[in-house]
Amino acid sequence: MTLEPKRVDVTDRVVGRLKGENIELYLDNQRIGTMSLPKGTQVQMEPRFSAVNQKVFEQYMSADNPEGRYTDCDEGGWC
């Protein structure tokens, strides 16, 4: 038996993660490379997301004081 070099297209499985001024490329959580972003690169985000100081934030609405849940159980957790 002989081993032969083969290759498979994994493009649709590669994920990029922002790190500083680079994008680190991963395949199945294994780092496989990096891409450098040119100086002055603008990041375009969807309306509820923002990029600030090389971090990405999601904005959402949340209640200040969520109401406690009603249960028929006693203080010890027995129902």
Side-chain angles (χ1 to χ4, degrees):
M1 172 175 31
T2 62
L3 296 176
E4 296 180 23
K6 303 277 185 175
R7 72 179 194 175
V8 62
D9 183 358
V10 296
T11 305
D12 62 340
R13 295 175 37 211
V14 174
V15 174
R17 297 178 186 165
L18 288 173
K19 185 164 185 178
E21 295 180 2
N22 297 313
I23 298 175
E24 292 187 341
L25 303 174
Y26 288 83
L27 176 65
D28 300 330
N29 291 318
Q30 177 183 356
R31 188 171 172 266
I32 61 171
T34 62
M35 292 174 55
S36 297
L37 296 173
K39 297 276 187 209
T41 297
Q42 296 288 325
V43 177
Q44 299 295 320
M45 305 297 290
E46 293 296 322
R48 69 177 201 207
F49 295 91
S50 60
V52 180
N53 296 328
Q54 301 159 350
K55 296 201 181 270
V56 177
F57 297 92
E58 179 181 8
Q59 300 163 353
Y60 63 95
M61 301 299 287
S62 176
D64 286 344
N65 296 317
E67 295 180 22
R69 289 189 245 164
Y70 171 78
T71 65
D72 288 332
C73 301
D74 64 13
E75 294 289 320
W78 292 95
C79 294

